Amino acid sequence: MPIPRPDLQGDRVIAHVDMDCFYVQVEQRKQPKLRGLPTAVVQYNDWKGGALIAVSYEARKFGVKRSMRGAEAEMVCPGIQLVQVPVARGKADLNGYRSAGSEVVSILSTKGRCERASIDEVYLDLTDAAESMLSEAPLEELENFDEEALKSHVLGLRGDEDLEKNVREWFFGSDAIYQDKLLACGAIIVAQLRDKVLKETEFTCSAGIAHNKMLAKLASGMHKPAQQTIVPSSAVRDLLASLPVKKMKQLGGKLGSSLQDDLGVNTVGDLLKFSEEKLQERYGFNTGTWLWNTARGISGDEVKGRVLPQSHGCGKTFPGPKALKTTAAVESWLNQLCEELSERIQLDLDQNKRVAHTLTLHARAFKTDDMGPHKKFPSKSCPLRYGVNKIQEDAKKLFDTGLREYLGSHNNAWRVTSLSMSASKILDTPGTSSIMRFLQGKSFPSAISDASYDDIQDDAPSSSIGSKENMLPESDEDQQAFAHEKSVEVDHVPSQARKIDDFCTQNREHKDKGKGSILRFFSGINSSTKQVPNGSEKHEGLDLRDHQKEPLVDEHSSLGRISNQQMDSSWNLNAEDVDPSVLDELPLEIQREVRGWIRSSKRAKTTKLGSNIFHYFSTDDNSG
Ligand code: DCP
């Protein structure tokens, strides 16, 4: 369930930058002769030409969609260029895409705090850069003004006939409000960054610029490819009024369905009809408040300074007849996965001086004669020992332990349909800062940590490994990275407590500045400014966030072909086609969508946990 964060937005300038048909661009850079041609990247698979995972804009004009298979795409668009995802060790090799994404991140992260949200998208907090640009000179006096910024789409601007003139006026108008001027500066900075990305990497990207992450993300996909969209506060209400609830990334699942079916809410704006209390009554305190905020375009989520992965992982699926049936076959695959994992953590250590502390095995399995309820293969973790042989040895132990537990006292025949290994709890070695090193492009000598631990543990449901928030970057699978940061924070409560204190202070300072512009805009509609969680509940909040994570690799053994009815119309992949190592690095909402199909049942704990975290209280000047 979503969690409301205190409102920090007011004068923030946040950008969401998303690469255009990313894997296609990477392949086109490798083979420039493909540029300008209808092209798609196909996930290795020999059934009907494999599943399309990225489609160029030229191919989209012919009606080619990511939900198609290669053979279908060729029918719709004869002459389409189909490029296979590279394969290494018998599985998709995403390293080329990861490092291409890192090239982009290293450029984008130069202007403000940068959060790598998936293999091809980042959030930037450009507030400081925009403020300092504005303090240096009035906008209209800026020299070397990048004309690309004036091609921005500014939501809410009227006048189709003379849009360019209106945009110019919006940028330079003397009566513009301060918040809009800040956004204009943000747009200039983003245009410069996009230009730099194009010059240095040959990739185009699109962006959204707004006062918070939620709005920036909504805007970045509105005009693609190679364009940018600005969301002034005055346009928020109209934007949300027509936005189908299912288009919001957190409302794509059950919560969105319940809003539609139970409350008749079809667009985000429809939520304005409900009081905060009513929403809390129906969905719990946090979700209710989050929905109330969302209807008003309010989101306090901060851009986290995070350009490196929080974990590394690699996996392989074995669908249908390819299911593994002997321990020898499992070991052989585990060895390959561990080799890759070992290379990646070693690279992370060499380049970033970061050490991974936990090794985890996830598997999906089924028993051939099991007629009862399907039991999950338990995920197992142990302390991570560097060195490929040790990792392989530990992986086998984890599998054996998991299998014993999975089979119980019965000696059923079994099949394994998916294996994945993750390295998590990645910490900087003392006295180092991986983000600074990443930004400065420094590398460090290798120094292997050889922690020797023996204990094997159940991987708690709350484990960040395999979380859908896992994403990211860099050398390996970066995607898994994010969730880990959270688990690490929980393990180090004192530092987290400090963070929250800082957060509270920040919020108080912010509040002193007065209401954010979006709040002001909505002030006529039951406005209530949200405030900081109180101290006694802070740690509960952490726990909740941790528990909200979902396993990255679904461990249900009942996976089968997914019926068309179960799939969203925009996705038509077979669940068993989805290689976890591919999935983990996708944009979060795609991961959620795909996992939604794969998953047969979901966490029961969430609702219970969602009631006691991050309590807000009303301020003097509101009615809520
Ligand atoms: N991807 C994948 N499997 C999927 C979906 C996506 O491997 N089922 C990969 C390929 C994409 C990349 O993730 O290039 C980024 O996904 P996006 O959703 O951002 O889509 P694109 O970048 O391809 O296109 P767009 O320009 O629409 O963002």
Side-chain angles (χ1 to χ4, degrees):
M1 289 290 155
I3 301 176
R5 312 270 181 215
D7 171 41
L8 297 175
Q9 56 195 7
D11 303 339
R12 288 190 300 158
V13 179
I14 308 295
H16 178 256
V17 182
D18 185 32
M19 306 308 294
D20 302 316
C21 56
F22 186 48
Y23 288 13
V24 170
Q25 290 205 77
V26 174
E27 296 302 333
Q28 287 177 330
R29 186 172 71 169
K30 279 199 271 180
Q31 302 183 62
K33 63 174 190 217
L34 296 178
R35 282 193 196 289
L37 299 180
T39 306
V41 175
V42 185
Q43 168 130 344
Y44 65 103
N45 186 314
D46 46 19
W47 186 59
K48 292 192 181 174
L52 266 54
I53 55 176
V55 179
S56 75
Y57 282 82
E58 292 84 359
R60 293 183 202 195
K61 285 184 195 149
F62 288 84
V64 178
K65 296 193 167 54
R66 193 151 58 187
S67 53
M68 294 177 172
R69 300 198 76 91
E72 197 182 349
E74 278 172 329
M75 277 166 55
V76 177
C77 177
I80 188 171
Q81 307 291 311
L82 297 177
V83 185
Q84 272 214 342
V85 172
V87 175
R89 295 189 178 96
K91 56 187 280 301
D93 177 9
L94 304 184
N95 280 331
Y97 305 127
R98 288 184 194 112
S99 52
S102 297
E103 286 174 47
V104 175
V105 171
S106 67
I107 296 167
L108 295 177
S109 57
T110 51
K111 292 287 180 184
R113 201 179 325 136
C114 175
E115 173 179 335
R116 193 169 178 180
S118 79
I119 199 161
D120 81 330
E121 61 180 332
V122 305
Y123 290 98
L124 304 174
D125 188 333
L126 301 173
T127 310
D128 291 344
E131 280 176 352
S132 78
M133 180 185 276
L134 203 52
S135 66
E136 277 163 21
L139 264 181
E140 55 276 24
E141 287 174 22
L142 279 182
E143 284 173 20
N144 303 322
F145 186 80
D146 190 340
E147 288 289 315
E148 176 66 22
L150 292 178
K151 295 186 193 143
S152 301
H153 300 264
V154 184
L155 296 188
L157 278 197
R158 307 254 180 270
D160 291 345
E161 283 159 20
D162 213 350
L163 199 55
E164 205 183 312
K165 180 167 156 265
N166 290 352
V167 172
R168 190 168 277 277
E169 261 173 39
W170 184 85
F171 269 84
F172 302 124
S174 51
D175 54 348
I177 61 169
Y178 179 71
Q179 283 79 11
D180 283 356
K181 287 186 178 176
L182 279 181
L183 288 184
C185 292
I188 293 170
I189 296 164
V190 170
Q192 289 164 346
L193 287 170
R194 288 180 37 238
D195 185 53
K196 196 156 187 241
V197 167
L198 182 60
K199 288 198 174 107
E200 294 185 14
T201 69
E202 301 173 33
F203 299 142
T204 67
C205 53
S206 300
I209 302 112
H211 289 303
N212 63 45
K213 286 170 79 176
M214 175 179 82
L215 297 170
K217 166 92 183 171
L218 282 176
S220 65
M222 293 179 90
H223 297 96
K224 269 186 156 252
Q227 296 171 73
Q228 59 184 52
T229 305
I230 304 171
V231 190
S233 298
S234 56
V236 172
R237 193 172 171 181
D238 282 353
L239 169 67
L240 299 180
S242 56
L243 185 75
V245 278
K246 290 279 187 171
K247 293 274 178 195
M248 283 296 291
K249 84 176 173 181
Q250 296 89 339
L251 298 178
K254 286 184 194 158
L255 179 56
S257 302
S258 165
L259 288 171
Q260 287 177 324
D261 302 342
D262 304 332
L263 297 186
V265 166
N266 291 314
T267 70
V268 176
D270 289 346
L271 279 167
L272 286 173
K273 290 186 282 204
F274 298 92
S275 69
E276 184 173 6
E277 290 71 23
K278 172 82 185 164
L279 294 169
Q280 287 174 340
E281 214 172 89
R282 183 74 184 70
Y283 295 107
F285 189 91
N286 294 303
T287 303
T289 296
W290 181 84
L291 287 168
W292 190 93
N293 285 338
T294 298
R296 288 154 183 80
I298 298 168
S299 163
D301 274 359
E302 287 188 274
V303 175
K304 299 167 193 79
R306 189 163 64 196
V307 292
L308 293 171
Q310 287 177 269
S311 66
H312 297 291
C314 48
K316 170 81 183 160
T317 53
F318 310 97
K322 294 183 184 159
L324 308 179
K325 33 183 145 166
T326 64
T327 26
V330 168
E331 283 182 13
S332 161
W333 273 106
L334 283 178
N335 284 345
Q336 297 190 56
L337 295 175
C338 291
E339 265 178 38
E340 182 186 333
L341 191 66
S342 177
E343 277 171 19
R344 288 166 60 179
I345 60 175
Q346 187 59 52
L347 193 67
D348 200 354
L349 180 60
D350 294 345
Q351 291 185 337
N352 307 312
K353 234 178 174 185
R354 302 193 314 158
V355 177
H357 291 270
T358 301
L359 179 71
T360 300
L361 170 135
H362 295 281
R364 285 199 297 255
F366 66 92
K367 298 172 199 167
T368 53
D369 54 354
D370 190 2
M371 305 305 283
H374 291 297
K375 188 176 158 191
K376 292 197 301 183
F377 192 100
S379 296
K380 292 286 164 189
S381 299
C382 68
L384 192 152
R385 302 183 299 152
Y386 275 66
V388 65
N389 293 339
K390 290 176 185 159
I391 294 174
Q392 289 170 334
E393 195 181 300
D394 290 343
K396 280 171 208 152
K397 282 188 199 157
L398 293 175
F399 179 77
D400 290 343
T401 311
L403 185 64
R404 270 198 303 278
E405 195 176 307
Y406 177 65
L407 295 177
S409 51
H410 308 287
N411 201 11
N412 313 54
W414 49 266
R415 300 283 182 274
V416 165
T417 57
S418 161
L419 283 173
S420 122
M421 296 302 306
S422 305
S424 59
K425 286 199 182 163
I426 303 180
L427 303 176
D428 284 343
T429 50
T432 66
S433 159
S434 52
I435 287 186
M436 286 315 292
R437 276 196 309 280
F438 179 87
L439 297 180
Q440 290 160 7
K442 291 182 184 170
S443 68
F444 291 81
S446 161
I448 292 183
S449 147
D450 191 352
S452 62
Y453 305 102
D454 298 331
D455 50 316
I456 293 175
Q457 300 156 355
D458 285 342
D459 191 38
S462 59
S463 164
S464 57
I465 296 173
S467 156
K468 57 189 180 180
E469 291 198 348
N470 280 349
M471 336 216 106
L472 269 207
E474 263 278 333
S475 22
D476 273 52
E477 21 273 303
D478 310 353
Q479 301 220 314
Q480 307 192 343
F482 290 163
H484 255 300
E485 185 176 298
K486 291 180 181 170
S487 65
V488 169
E489 286 170 359
V490 172
D491 287 348
H492 299 277
V493 169
S495 84
Q496 181 61 38
R498 270 198 308 278
K499 271 190 181 174
I500 292 189
D501 284 342
D502 293 343
F503 181 59
C504 295
T505 312
Q506 238 183 320
N507 195 54
R508 274 193 299 275
E509 286 169 3
H510 197 271
K511 186 175 158 249
D512 290 341
K513 285 187 190 172
K515 276 187 177 181
S517 53
I518 291 180
L519 271 180
R520 276 199 304 275
F521 183 76
F522 279 102
S523 57
I525 314 169
N526 183 23
S527 145
S528 71
T529 310
K530 301 298 164 202
Q531 222 188 29
V532 192
N534 81 30
S536 63
E537 284 158 349
K538 288 162 189 168
H539 293 163
E540 290 172 0
L542 290 175
D543 289 344
L544 173 60
R545 277 178 285 168
D546 198 44
H547 279 285
Q548 284 181 320
K549 297 166 197 153
E550 295 181 11
L552 165 86
V553 176
D554 184 274
E555 293 129 11
H556 288 265
S557 58
S558 55
L559 266 187
R561 303 235 160 211
I562 294 190
S563 70
N564 287 336
Q565 292 90 325
Q566 285 172 283
M567 297 177 192
D568 184 280
S569 57
S570 61
W571 289 97
N572 196 22
L573 294 177
N574 182 327
E576 291 183 339
D577 286 340
V578 181
D579 182 331
S581 67
V582 172
L583 184 57
D584 295 347
E585 304 193 44
L586 302 182
L588 196 54
E589 63 273 26
I590 292 178
Q591 293 189 39
R592 285 186 175 132
E593 196 172 329
V594 177
R595 289 198 173 95
W597 315 330
I598 297 176
R599 196 174 298 124
S600 59
S601 69
K602 223 31 302 179
R603 314 151 285 160
K605 284 182 180 173
T606 308
T607 314
K608 212 172 13 165
L609 288 163
S611 56
N612 56 4
I613 164 183
F614 272 28
H615 291 191
Y616 296 88
F617 49 88
S618 303
T619 51
D620 298 341
D621 59 348
N622 72 49
S623 58

